[in-house]
PDB file of all heavy atoms in Angstrom:
ATOM      1  N   VAL A  19       9.561  88.706  68.401  1.00 97.00           N
ATOM      2  CA  VAL A  19       9.791  87.435  69.079  1.00 97.00           C
ATOM      3  C   VAL A  19       8.651  86.484  68.845  1.00 97.00           C
ATOM      4  O   VAL A  19       7.519  86.903  68.636  1.00 97.00           O
ATOM      5  CB  VAL A  19       9.943  87.667  70.614  1.00 97.00           C
ATOM      6  CG1 VAL A  19      11.190  88.520  70.910  1.00 97.00           C
ATOM      7  CG2 VAL A  19       8.757  88.288  71.224  1.00 97.00           C
ATOM      8  N   GLY A  20       8.972  85.208  68.865  1.00 96.00           N
ATOM      9  CA  GLY A  20       7.924  84.204  68.676  1.00 96.00           C
ATOM     10  C   GLY A  20       7.195  83.887  69.904  1.00 96.00           C
ATOM     11  O   GLY A  20       7.630  84.150  71.059  1.00 96.00           O
ATOM     12  N   ALA A  21       6.015  83.290  69.796  1.00 96.00           N
ATOM     13  CA  ALA A  21       5.159  83.026  70.977  1.00 96.00           C
ATOM     14  C   ALA A  21       5.814  81.994  71.909  1.00 96.00           C
ATOM     15  O   ALA A  21       5.659  82.074  73.148  1.00 96.00           O
ATOM     16  CB  ALA A  21       3.794  82.504  70.533  1.00 96.00           C
ATOM     17  N   GLY A  22       6.604  81.096  71.398  1.00 92.00           N
ATOM     18  CA  GLY A  22       7.268  80.109  72.228  1.00 92.00           C
ATOM     19  C   GLY A  22       8.255  80.734  73.183  1.00 92.00           C
ATOM     20  O   GLY A  22       8.341  80.336  74.297  1.00 92.00           O
ATOM     21  N   THR A  23       8.937  81.777  72.680  1.00 91.00           N
ATOM     22  CA  THR A  23       9.818  82.536  73.601  1.00 91.00           C
ATOM     23  C   THR A  23       9.059  83.168  74.733  1.00 91.00           C
ATOM     24  O   THR A  23       9.478  83.169  75.883  1.00 91.00           O
ATOM     25  CB  THR A  23      10.601  83.551  72.775  1.00 91.00           C
ATOM     26  OG1 THR A  23      11.321  82.948  71.771  1.00 91.00           O
ATOM     27  CG2 THR A  23      11.604  84.352  73.708  1.00 91.00           C
ATOM     28  N   VAL A  24       7.956  83.738  74.410  1.00 95.00           N
ATOM     29  CA  VAL A  24       7.102  84.423  75.430  1.00 95.00           C
ATOM     30  C   VAL A  24       6.554  83.443  76.456  1.00 95.00           C
ATOM     31  O   VAL A  24       6.548  83.700  77.645  1.00 95.00           O
ATOM     32  CB  VAL A  24       5.903  85.192  74.773  1.00 95.00           C
ATOM     33  CG1 VAL A  24       5.068  85.827  75.861  1.00 95.00           C
ATOM     34  CG2 VAL A  24       6.491  86.279  73.859  1.00 95.00           C
ATOM     35  N   ARG A  25       6.236  82.227  75.981  1.00 93.00           N
ATOM     36  CA  ARG A  25       5.638  81.211  76.874  1.00 93.00           C
ATOM     37  C   ARG A  25       6.662  80.696  77.932  1.00 93.00           C
ATOM     38  O   ARG A  25       6.203  80.061  78.929  1.00 93.00           O
ATOM     39  CB  ARG A  25       5.099  80.036  76.034  1.00 93.00           C
ATOM     40  CG  ARG A  25       3.693  80.383  75.462  1.00 93.00           C
ATOM     41  CD  ARG A  25       2.982  79.186  74.949  1.00 93.00           C
ATOM     42  NE  ARG A  25       3.555  78.728  73.665  1.00 93.00           N
ATOM     43  CZ  ARG A  25       3.092  79.072  72.478  1.00 93.00           C
ATOM     44  NH1 ARG A  25       2.116  79.941  72.302  1.00 93.00           N
ATOM     45  NH2 ARG A  25       3.663  78.576  71.414  1.00 93.00           N
ATOM     46  N   THR A  26       7.905  80.914  77.729  1.00 88.00           N
ATOM     47  CA  THR A  26       8.886  80.525  78.761  1.00 88.00           C
ATOM     48  C   THR A  26       8.704  81.368  79.989  1.00 88.00           C
ATOM     49  O   THR A  26       9.152  81.002  81.107  1.00 88.00           O
ATOM     50  CB  THR A  26      10.339  80.690  78.227  1.00 88.00           C
ATOM     51  OG1 THR A  26      10.621  82.097  78.059  1.00 88.00           O
ATOM     52  CG2 THR A  26      10.580  79.927  76.992  1.00 88.00           C
ATOM     53  N   GLY A  27       8.092  82.552  79.916  1.00 88.00           N
ATOM     54  CA  GLY A  27       7.899  83.446  81.060  1.00 88.00           C
ATOM     55  C   GLY A  27       9.159  84.168  81.366  1.00 88.00           C
ATOM     56  O   GLY A  27       9.141  84.966  82.364  1.00 88.00           O
ATOM     57  N   ARG A  28      10.195  84.076  80.640  1.00 88.00           N
ATOM     58  CA  ARG A  28      11.507  84.734  80.977  1.00 88.00           C
ATOM     59  C   ARG A  28      11.762  85.986  80.201  1.00 88.00           C
ATOM     60  O   ARG A  28      12.766  86.645  80.370  1.00 88.00           O
ATOM     61  CB  ARG A  28      12.628  83.730  80.778  1.00 88.00           C
ATOM     62  CG  ARG A  28      12.506  82.484  81.601  1.00 88.00           C
ATOM     63  CD  ARG A  28      13.637  81.487  81.399  1.00 88.00           C
ATOM     64  NE  ARG A  28      14.900  81.980  81.859  1.00 88.00           N
ATOM     65  CZ  ARG A  28      16.004  81.259  81.865  1.00 88.00           C
ATOM     66  NH1 ARG A  28      15.973  79.948  81.581  1.00 88.00           N
ATOM     67  NH2 ARG A  28      17.150  81.813  82.304  1.00 88.00           N
ATOM     68  N   LEU A  29      10.863  86.304  79.255  1.00 92.00           N
ATOM     69  CA  LEU A  29      11.031  87.540  78.435  1.00 92.00           C
ATOM     70  C   LEU A  29      10.224  88.645  79.071  1.00 92.00           C
ATOM     71  O   LEU A  29       9.034  88.645  79.096  1.00 92.00           O
ATOM     72  CB  LEU A  29      10.539  87.275  77.025  1.00 92.00           C
ATOM     73  CG  LEU A  29      10.693  88.422  76.049  1.00 92.00           C
ATOM     74  CD1 LEU A  29      12.157  88.705  75.737  1.00 92.00           C
ATOM     75  CD2 LEU A  29       9.913  88.227  74.795  1.00 92.00           C
ATOM     76  N   GLY A  30      10.987  89.648  79.531  1.00 93.00           N
ATOM     77  CA  GLY A  30      10.329  90.884  80.128  1.00 93.00           C
ATOM     78  C   GLY A  30      10.279  92.003  79.166  1.00 93.00           C
ATOM     79  O   GLY A  30      10.747  91.890  78.018  1.00 93.00           O
ATOM     80  N   PRO A  31       9.755  93.143  79.538  1.00 94.00           N
ATOM     81  CA  PRO A  31       9.687  94.324  78.688  1.00 94.00           C
ATOM     82  C   PRO A  31      11.137  94.733  78.362  1.00 94.00           C
ATOM     83  O   PRO A  31      12.053  94.572  79.121  1.00 94.00           O
ATOM     84  CB  PRO A  31       9.026  95.347  79.545  1.00 94.00           C
ATOM     85  CG  PRO A  31       8.224  94.560  80.633  1.00 94.00           C
ATOM     86  CD  PRO A  31       9.076  93.358  80.820  1.00 94.00           C
ATOM     87  N   ALA A  32      11.262  95.314  77.151  1.00 93.00           N
ATOM     88  CA  ALA A  32      12.578  95.833  76.764  1.00 93.00           C
ATOM     89  C   ALA A  32      12.961  97.016  77.646  1.00 93.00           C
ATOM     90  O   ALA A  32      12.159  97.873  77.975  1.00 93.00           O
ATOM     91  CB  ALA A  32      12.545  96.251  75.286  1.00 93.00           C
ATOM     92  N   ARG A  33      14.234  97.044  78.072  1.00 94.00           N
ATOM     93  CA  ARG A  33      14.758  98.166  78.854  1.00 94.00           C
ATOM     94  C   ARG A  33      16.080  98.618  78.218  1.00 94.00           C
ATOM     95  O   ARG A  33      16.724  97.864  77.511  1.00 94.00           O
ATOM     96  CB  ARG A  33      14.970  97.803  80.326  1.00 94.00           C
ATOM     97  CG  ARG A  33      13.614  97.447  81.012  1.00 94.00           C
ATOM     98  CD  ARG A  33      13.887  97.061  82.479  1.00 94.00           C
ATOM     99  NE  ARG A  33      12.642  96.902  83.211  1.00 94.00           N
ATOM    100  CZ  ARG A  33      11.904  95.863  83.269  1.00 94.00           C
ATOM    101  NH1 ARG A  33      12.339  94.752  82.614  1.00 94.00           N
ATOM    102  NH2 ARG A  33      10.770  95.789  83.964  1.00 94.00           N
ATOM    103  N   LEU A  34      16.453  99.846  78.491  1.00 95.00           N
ATOM    104  CA  LEU A  34      17.698 100.411  77.969  1.00 95.00           C
ATOM    105  C   LEU A  34      18.571 100.959  79.111  1.00 95.00           C
ATOM    106  O   LEU A  34      18.025 101.691  79.997  1.00 95.00           O
ATOM    107  CB  LEU A  34      17.479 101.523  76.957  1.00 95.00           C
ATOM    108  CG  LEU A  34      17.053 101.126  75.532  1.00 95.00           C
ATOM    109  CD1 LEU A  34      16.820 102.359  74.737  1.00 95.00           C
ATOM    110  CD2 LEU A  34      18.143 100.279  74.906  1.00 95.00           C
ATOM    111  N   ARG A  35      19.858 100.644  79.101  1.00 94.00           N
ATOM    112  CA  ARG A  35      20.816 101.326  79.985  1.00 94.00           C
ATOM    113  C   ARG A  35      20.866 102.802  79.657  1.00 94.00           C
ATOM    114  O   ARG A  35      20.565 103.186  78.490  1.00 94.00           O
ATOM    115  CB  ARG A  35      22.154 100.713  79.891  1.00 94.00           C
ATOM    116  CG  ARG A  35      22.270  99.293  80.339  1.00 94.00           C
ATOM    117  CD  ARG A  35      23.730  98.831  80.279  1.00 94.00           C
ATOM    118  NE  ARG A  35      24.468  99.452  79.164  1.00 94.00           N
ATOM    119  CZ  ARG A  35      25.562  98.959  78.682  1.00 94.00           C
ATOM    120  NH1 ARG A  35      26.088  97.867  79.221  1.00 94.00           N
ATOM    121  NH2 ARG A  35      26.222  99.557  77.721  1.00 94.00           N
ATOM    122  N   GLY A  36      21.297 103.612  80.604  1.00 96.00           N
ATOM    123  CA  GLY A  36      21.323 105.038  80.360  1.00 96.00           C
ATOM    124  C   GLY A  36      22.129 105.452  79.152  1.00 96.00           C
ATOM    125  O   GLY A  36      21.701 106.370  78.422  1.00 96.00           O
ATOM    126  N   ASP A  37      23.332 104.802  78.981  1.00 96.00           N
ATOM    127  CA  ASP A  37      24.100 105.220  77.855  1.00 96.00           C
ATOM    128  C   ASP A  37      23.496 104.883  76.507  1.00 96.00           C
ATOM    129  O   ASP A  37      23.559 105.694  75.535  1.00 96.00           O
ATOM    130  CB  ASP A  37      25.523 104.610  77.977  1.00 96.00           C
ATOM    131  CG  ASP A  37      25.493 103.083  77.969  1.00 96.00           C
ATOM    132  OD1 ASP A  37      24.524 102.520  78.506  1.00 96.00           O
ATOM    133  OD2 ASP A  37      26.386 102.486  77.437  1.00 96.00           O
ATOM    134  N   LEU A  38      22.851 103.721  76.391  1.00 97.00           N
ATOM    135  CA  LEU A  38      22.240 103.363  75.171  1.00 97.00           C
ATOM    136  C   LEU A  38      20.968 104.178  74.913  1.00 97.00           C
ATOM    137  O   LEU A  38      20.604 104.514  73.775  1.00 97.00           O
ATOM    138  CB  LEU A  38      21.914 101.873  75.168  1.00 97.00           C
ATOM    139  CG  LEU A  38      23.115 100.901  75.014  1.00 97.00           C
ATOM    140  CD1 LEU A  38      22.699  99.502  75.204  1.00 97.00           C
ATOM    141  CD2 LEU A  38      23.850 101.164  73.723  1.00 97.00           C
ATOM    142  N   ARG A  39      20.262 104.530  75.995  1.00 97.00           N
ATOM    143  CA  ARG A  39      19.069 105.378  75.820  1.00 97.00           C
ATOM    144  C   ARG A  39      19.486 106.728  75.265  1.00 97.00           C
ATOM    145  O   ARG A  39      18.803 107.248  74.419  1.00 97.00           O
ATOM    146  CB  ARG A  39      18.371 105.477  77.173  1.00 97.00           C
ATOM    147  CG  ARG A  39      17.110 106.401  77.104  1.00 97.00           C
ATOM    148  CD  ARG A  39      16.545 106.591  78.521  1.00 97.00           C
ATOM    149  NE  ARG A  39      15.927 105.387  79.000  1.00 97.00           N
ATOM    150  CZ  ARG A  39      14.667 105.008  78.855  1.00 97.00           C
ATOM    151  NH1 ARG A  39      13.836 105.887  78.279  1.00 97.00           N
ATOM    152  NH2 ARG A  39      14.163 103.875  79.352  1.00 97.00           N
ATOM    153  N   ALA A  40      20.618 107.246  75.748  1.00 97.00           N
ATOM    154  CA  ALA A  40      21.082 108.580  75.297  1.00 97.00           C
ATOM    155  C   ALA A  40      21.447 108.484  73.815  1.00 97.00           C
ATOM    156  O   ALA A  40      21.112 109.381  73.012  1.00 97.00           O
ATOM    157  CB  ALA A  40      22.259 109.025  76.151  1.00 97.00           C
ATOM    158  N   ARG A  41      22.141 107.389  73.420  1.00 97.00           N
ATOM    159  CA  ARG A  41      22.580 107.282  72.024  1.00 97.00           C
ATOM    160  C   ARG A  41      21.344 107.042  71.114  1.00 97.00           C
ATOM    161  O   ARG A  41      21.349 107.482  69.979  1.00 97.00           O
ATOM    162  CB  ARG A  41      23.567 106.178  71.888  1.00 97.00           C
ATOM    163  CG  ARG A  41      24.878 106.432  72.694  1.00 97.00           C
ATOM    164  CD  ARG A  41      25.900 105.372  72.508  1.00 97.00           C
ATOM    165  NE  ARG A  41      26.648 105.466  71.250  1.00 97.00           N
ATOM    166  CZ  ARG A  41      27.754 104.799  70.955  1.00 97.00           C
ATOM    167  NH1 ARG A  41      28.222 103.904  71.851  1.00 97.00           N
ATOM    168  NH2 ARG A  41      28.354 104.973  69.845  1.00 97.00           N
ATOM    169  N   ARG A  42      20.396 106.309  71.608  1.00 97.00           N
ATOM    170  CA  ARG A  42      19.175 105.977  70.857  1.00 97.00           C
ATOM    171  C   ARG A  42      18.333 107.245  70.712  1.00 97.00           C
ATOM    172  O   ARG A  42      17.682 107.507  69.731  1.00 97.00           O
ATOM    173  CB  ARG A  42      18.410 104.858  71.529  1.00 97.00           C
ATOM    174  CG  ARG A  42      17.083 104.621  70.822  1.00 97.00           C
ATOM    175  CD  ARG A  42      16.287 103.458  71.521  1.00 97.00           C
ATOM    176  NE  ARG A  42      14.960 103.296  70.990  1.00 97.00           N
ATOM    177  CZ  ARG A  42      14.640 102.573  69.936  1.00 97.00           C
ATOM    178  NH1 ARG A  42      15.633 101.944  69.261  1.00 97.00           N
ATOM    179  NH2 ARG A  42      13.421 102.440  69.532  1.00 97.00           N
ATOM    180  N   GLY A  43      18.387 108.094  71.754  1.00 96.00           N
ATOM    181  CA  GLY A  43      17.589 109.324  71.729  1.00 96.00           C
ATOM    182  C   GLY A  43      16.151 109.139  72.124  1.00 96.00           C
ATOM    183  O   GLY A  43      15.283 109.982  71.747  1.00 96.00           O
ATOM    184  N   GLY A  44      15.794 108.071  72.881  1.00 96.00           N
ATOM    185  CA  GLY A  44      14.483 107.871  73.277  1.00 96.00           C
ATOM    186  C   GLY A  44      14.262 106.570  73.999  1.00 96.00           C
ATOM    187  O   GLY A  44      15.268 105.854  74.336  1.00 96.00           O
ATOM    188  N   PRO A  45      13.015 106.185  74.265  1.00 97.00           N
ATOM    189  CA  PRO A  45      12.742 104.969  74.982  1.00 97.00           C
ATOM    190  C   PRO A  45      13.073 103.716  74.187  1.00 97.00           C
ATOM    191  O   PRO A  45      13.305 103.786  72.977  1.00 97.00           O
ATOM    192  CB  PRO A  45      11.193 105.104  75.293  1.00 97.00           C
ATOM    193  CG  PRO A  45      10.661 105.939  74.123  1.00 97.00           C
ATOM    194  CD  PRO A  45      11.819 106.935  73.854  1.00 97.00           C
ATOM    195  N   PRO A  46      13.020 102.574  74.847  1.00 97.00           N
ATOM    196  CA  PRO A  46      13.332 101.297  74.147  1.00 97.00           C
ATOM    197  C   PRO A  46      12.352 100.945  73.065  1.00 97.00           C
ATOM    198  O   PRO A  46      11.177 101.462  73.075  1.00 97.00           O
ATOM    199  CB  PRO A  46      13.316 100.261  75.245  1.00 97.00           C
ATOM    200  CG  PRO A  46      12.474 100.859  76.350  1.00 97.00           C
ATOM    201  CD  PRO A  46      12.714 102.346  76.277  1.00 97.00           C
ATOM    202  N   ALA A  47      12.760 100.143  72.155  1.00 98.00           N
ATOM    203  CA  ALA A  47      11.859  99.630  71.123  1.00 98.00           C
ATOM    204  C   ALA A  47      10.804  98.711  71.726  1.00 98.00           C
ATOM    205  O   ALA A  47      11.105  98.066  72.722  1.00 98.00           O
ATOM    206  CB  ALA A  47      12.665  98.868  70.058  1.00 98.00           C
ATOM    207  N   PRO A  48       9.610  98.647  71.119  1.00 98.00           N
ATOM    208  CA  PRO A  48       8.606  97.721  71.614  1.00 98.00           C
ATOM    209  C   PRO A  48       8.978  96.301  71.291  1.00 98.00           C
ATOM    210  O   PRO A  48       9.540  96.020  70.241  1.00 98.00           O
ATOM    211  CB  PRO A  48       7.388  98.182  70.913  1.00 98.00           C
ATOM    212  CG  PRO A  48       7.832  98.716  69.609  1.00 98.00           C
ATOM    213  CD  PRO A  48       9.186  99.382  69.957  1.00 98.00           C
ATOM    214  N   ILE A  49       8.517  95.364  72.113  1.00 98.00           N
ATOM    215  CA  ILE A  49       8.539  93.965  71.810  1.00 98.00           C
ATOM    216  C   ILE A  49       7.253  93.655  70.952  1.00 98.00           C
ATOM    217  O   ILE A  49       6.143  94.112  71.261  1.00 98.00           O
ATOM    218  CB  ILE A  49       8.478  93.054  73.019  1.00 98.00           C
ATOM    219  CG1 ILE A  49       9.669  93.381  73.936  1.00 98.00           C
ATOM    220  CG2 ILE A  49       8.438  91.616  72.664  1.00 98.00           C
ATOM    221  CD1 ILE A  49      11.018  92.933  73.368  1.00 98.00           C
ATOM    222  N   VAL A  50       7.449  92.958  69.867  1.00 98.00           N
ATOM    223  CA  VAL A  50       6.345  92.538  68.996  1.00 98.00           C
ATOM    224  C   VAL A  50       6.217  91.052  69.049  1.00 98.00           C
ATOM    225  O   VAL A  50       7.128  90.336  68.575  1.00 98.00           O
ATOM    226  CB  VAL A  50       6.559  92.978  67.548  1.00 98.00           C
ATOM    227  CG1 VAL A  50       5.438  92.526  66.621  1.00 98.00           C
ATOM    228  CG2 VAL A  50       6.693  94.510  67.472  1.00 98.00           C
ATOM    229  N   VAL A  51       5.202  90.515  69.632  1.00 98.00           N
ATOM    230  CA  VAL A  51       4.962  89.122  69.850  1.00 98.00           C
ATOM    231  C   VAL A  51       4.172  88.566  68.667  1.00 98.00           C
ATOM    232  O   VAL A  51       3.040  89.035  68.362  1.00 98.00           O
ATOM    233  CB  VAL A  51       4.227  88.816  71.119  1.00 98.00           C
ATOM    234  CG1 VAL A  51       3.984  87.328  71.258  1.00 98.00           C
ATOM    235  CG2 VAL A  51       4.975  89.390  72.304  1.00 98.00           C
ATOM    236  N   VAL A  52       4.701  87.565  67.952  1.00 98.00           N
ATOM    237  CA  VAL A  52       4.034  86.973  66.766  1.00 98.00           C
ATOM    238  C   VAL A  52       3.414  85.653  67.270  1.00 98.00           C
ATOM    239  O   VAL A  52       4.135  84.744  67.653  1.00 98.00           O
ATOM    240  CB  VAL A  52       5.036  86.771  65.635  1.00 98.00           C
ATOM    241  CG1 VAL A  52       4.263  86.137  64.427  1.00 98.00           C
ATOM    242  CG2 VAL A  52       5.713  88.045  65.261  1.00 98.00           C
ATOM    243  N   SER A  53       2.107  85.575  67.127  1.00 98.00           N
ATOM    244  CA  SER A  53       1.386  84.360  67.630  1.00 98.00           C
ATOM    245  C   SER A  53       0.142  84.142  66.813  1.00 98.00           C
ATOM    246  O   SER A  53      -0.702  84.998  66.707  1.00 98.00           O
ATOM    247  CB  SER A  53       1.021  84.526  69.130  1.00 98.00           C
ATOM    248  OG  SER A  53       0.252  83.411  69.539  1.00 98.00           O
ATOM    249  N   ARG A  54       0.066  82.910  66.300  1.00 96.00           N
ATOM    250  CA  ARG A  54      -1.154  82.536  65.570  1.00 96.00           C
ATOM    251  C   ARG A  54      -2.267  82.120  66.489  1.00 96.00           C
ATOM    252  O   ARG A  54      -3.404  82.511  66.361  1.00 96.00           O
ATOM    253  CB  ARG A  54      -0.836  81.373  64.557  1.00 96.00           C
ATOM    254  CG  ARG A  54      -2.017  80.825  63.803  1.00 96.00           C
ATOM    255  CD  ARG A  54      -1.694  79.673  62.958  1.00 96.00           C
ATOM    256  NE  ARG A  54      -1.178  78.563  63.778  1.00 96.00           N
ATOM    257  CZ  ARG A  54      -0.654  77.461  63.271  1.00 96.00           C
ATOM    258  NH1 ARG A  54      -0.552  77.289  61.953  1.00 96.00           N
ATOM    259  NH2 ARG A  54      -0.154  76.516  64.072  1.00 96.00           N
ATOM    260  N   SER A  55      -1.899  81.402  67.543  1.00 96.00           N
ATOM    261  CA  SER A  55      -2.963  80.766  68.455  1.00 96.00           C
ATOM    262  C   SER A  55      -3.321  81.722  69.613  1.00 96.00           C
ATOM    263  O   SER A  55      -4.355  81.528  70.236  1.00 96.00           O
ATOM    264  CB  SER A  55      -2.381  79.453  68.981  1.00 96.00           C
ATOM    265  OG  SER A  55      -1.309  79.669  69.941  1.00 96.00           O
TER     266      SER A  55
END
């Protein structure tokens, strides 16, 4: 995600519903924030 998206304050940590967690076989993927400044 870009830094502008993060600066809105509306982007929280990634979460997974139980069914998707089971199919994924583990915890959610990390958010990677791309920011130059």
Side-chain angles (χ1 to χ4, degrees):
V19 297
T23 301
V24 177
R25 282 194 284 268
T26 67
R28 300 179 66 169
L29 180 70
R33 295 181 172 86
L34 280 179
R35 295 183 327 198
D37 59 326
L38 288 175
R39 180 183 289 266
R41 297 181 81 170
R42 177 180 172 83
I49 300 291
V50 177
V51 180
V52 182
S53 176
R54 178 183 60 185
S55 69

